[in-house]
Amino acid sequence: MKTRFPNMTRTLDEWLAYQEHVNVRSIELGLDRVREVWQRMGAPAPARRVITVGGTNGKGSTVAMLEGMLAAAGQRVGCYTSPHLLHYRERIRIEGVDASDEALIGSFERIEAARGEIPLTYFEFGTLAALDLFSRAGLDVAVLEVGLGGRLDAVNLVDADVAIITTVDLDHMDWLGPDRDSIGVEKAGIARAGHPAIVGENEPPAGLLGALQRIGAQVERAGIDFTAERLAHGWRWQHRDGTRLNLPAPALEAPVQYANAAAAVAAIHALRGIDAPLATCDLGAMAAAGIRTARVAGRLQSLGGDPALIVDVGHNPQAARALAQWLDAHPGGRVHAVYGALSDKDVGGVISALGERIDHWHLAGLEHDTPRGLSAHVLAGQLALALPEARHDLHDNVGAALDAALRLARPGERVLAFGSCFVAAAVLAESAARKSA
């Protein structure tokens, strides 16, 4: 374990830099260390009720919809999500407001005092800070997004009143297992015996369902216990108990957002069954408000312009298939991709999922942004294997790739920047800088 920095300063940036040195491992799954620190802090309940959201993709969007639904019912809501795009404060929201530097610093000081010589990862510091700040805010509901997997993720310190597993697909395989069944077992770990577990996809892996059964969770499956039916205007959500809701289209763009919305509605429906204050609230009004108002940065986010600039955090094959589905549903001019990726991602699977929908690839190196970042040359090798005829250029960084794509694209065409949170963050920051110039 690294020794502590002497004369600890009190800026948020310095605290975050310090946390990167407390544990020699950037990822260390397991609850023993973080649970011990949490117990030393008094193991405070973060809220009256807790919804935990896990899954391969769709977690952040589902959290945003839940937040909107609960806020519409007058509930005091806290949300913990990761990673952030532009600032660490984005990770912790209380009643829709990002945590302040001062609040985070105070929480980190309490965590540091409690941990003694126990090494914590960067993510574990953040999770404990969220639980600490939520417990001090008098919340009705805390919505917690799993960082990696579920069973051994720090978020799983807290027993969920309702758990959601949005999707299960191949990602983080070095940590979670080689196939959907083994990954599903890990993600099922956020569920609790006797409590609702919402399964958000119609064809979940057997490993997930078997693990949920062994846990003793009350499983509610998309396509069986609740359904989402697209209509000419909006869509209909229906539960096996006879509840039927006609709802507006999600504000979030991708077609997969209907499945995320359906899972969020199912979670609120289940929570109303066990929480007296929520039981009297109008489920239809709650659901409509959350679906209509939810916004999440970097999820098929349009930044305007002509050619249009669109940014998405999609980084695995399942997310790439969702992007392909959106492009098919919105035909238009040529598509120029700004693409960067990390070393633990299935680059070939992402490229193959999009295929010839991309007319020109601008490959951006991320090796200067993170030790896990791939160079443009490595990306080019993967592109050559998946799409040998694909047109492409190589760039040292996201900014250079974005500039080149915008120069090459003509009016009526689109620039789609995706592949990593590092790509999305760089494009959002560059867009904001151009607008303020």
Side-chain angles (χ1 to χ4, degrees), residues 339-362:
Y339 177 59
L342 303 184
S343 58
D344 61 343
K345 303 306 175 186
D346 182 1
V347 172
V350 169
I351 292 170
S352 296
L354 284 159
E356 295 183 359
R357 295 173 182 85
I358 304 300
D359 295 282
H360 197 117
W361 294 82
H362 293 269

Side-chain angles (χ1 to χ4, degrees), residues 70 82 99 129 140 167 177 196 248 259 262 356 384 403 427 432:
L70 292 162
S82 65
D140 296 303
T167 62
E356 295 183 359
D403 286 343
V427 172

